[in-house]
Amino acid sequence: MSKDEQIKAQIIENASLLFQKWGFHKTTMEDIAKATGKAKSSLYYYYKSKNEIFEDLIESQYMEMLQKINVEVNRCESYSKKLETFLMLSFEEMASRAPLYEIMVNELNEDNKLLKSMIKAISKREVGILEELFNKAIENKEFRYYEKEDLRLIAEQIVRSLRQLQVVIYIEQDKRFNKEKIRIFVDLILNGVKK
Amino acid sequence: MSKDEQIKAQIIENASLLFQKWGFHKTTMEDIAKATGKAKSSLYYYYKSKNEIFEDLIESQYMEMLQKINVEVNRCESYSKKLETFLMLSFEEMASRAPLYEIMVNELNEDNKLLKSMIKAISKREVGILEELFNKAIENKEFRYYEKEDLRLIAEQIVRSLRQLQVVIYIEQDKRFNKEKIRIFVDLILNGVKK
DNA sequence: GTTTCGAACGAAAAACAAAATTAGTCGAAA
DNA sequence: TTTCGACTAATTTTGTTTTTCGTTCGAAAC
């Protein structure tokens, strides 16, 4: 890790804590600079805007999350098991990232185009992963047969439902949920697509 | 229908058109009064607030919708068929009410406690219907077995997913959907719960 | 050449006040 | 019982000023 990357990581780390405490808007570049022990204008040597800091933060978190999930999914033999693992780990990984996710959900309200397009981009990747998984599982005759275009609609709806349930569990903090209850939904989806 | 109820229906009807054209906030009591051929203050003889007019409007639409669905559901023999009918008709009935639904979704943003509690109340009733249907279907050994409390979580999630998909289809107007595509999701849920 | 910073700019937000709309009340009239 | 015009209080809108904050820049430090 180069010196440059090290400082960038430091900025991200400090920004992350501040964003979680104050939210994106109420955190100023001055705040981030101070926490990093630098002058405000110095931040612009590493990032060209406040938005870019946030983007990089979310991107890095998301990549880390996807990476972890991917390792486990690849370890599974059957596609059912792969799908199950993908879904279950999505919840597990989201749990620890809930505070950041909350910022995204709450401060996205109004107009914020940046956040909307970021969430869209992230969802798109997840949809892509699921779609590919489905395709292979169908080829393998492990899942019911669906047309390609229908498969995409299904993947999209699953990702939407996933997000929504994560909001209920981790942001609205519905106490009725635990790992066991989450499995009910995962199984419901599995039963829905399995042969 | 008493004279009183007739005039109330007239007010609701006019308000509905105005709300759909201008939204809730931009429609004034003056507007509604003028459309009904009455003085503004006369409206308060029938409704004690603008909110109450909106509540009554949504309530009546929703009851009408539920009524229609109920008739068809009762006509079905198996519980699978009942569930399928409930889900499919939810979409059909929502289609024609999309403009009103859009107002609810769009103008609910900020603080609007009224709308939030209304949507919650409506969802709760739908959840109740599904829950009861599931209970009977399980007793009848037509659906997989679930604990009572899990059943409620499942019903809630189905209603949430339903709403969400309806937003995508009728408000964001995703053109890829038609009755046939909707059936895919309905079948997915059916496969998920059927034995 | 790389990295840091203070000063300065412009856009956006916050704060404040004044003016205009509008939801809701009330008493009188039909 | 029902309607309405005049009134009130609350909210929204508008316009103005001030402050804050993201971003740029050129000069200094390393």
Side-chain angles (χ1 to χ4, degrees), chain A residues 111-139:
Chain A
D111 41 352
N112 212 324
K113 283 183 189 173
L114 173 78
L115 280 182
K116 278 197 178 149
S117 69
M118 281 178 65
I119 288 193
K120 223 174 193 172
I122 289 177
S123 295
K124 213 171 177 178
R125 266 188 285 183
E126 281 183 293
V127 168
I129 294 171
L130 278 184
E131 209 182 349
E132 200 195 323
L133 198 157
F134 281 144
N135 268 316
K136 286 187 190 153
I138 289 174
E139 263 178 49

Side-chain angles (χ1 to χ4, degrees), chain B residues 7 38-39 41-42 45-46:
Chain B
I7 293 179
K38 293 205 180 301
S41 52
S42 300
Y45 183 74
Y46 299 97

Side-chain angles (χ1 to χ4, degrees), chain A residues 7 38-39 41-42 45-46:
Chain A
I7 293 179
K38 292 204 180 302
S41 54
S42 299
Y45 183 74
Y46 299 96

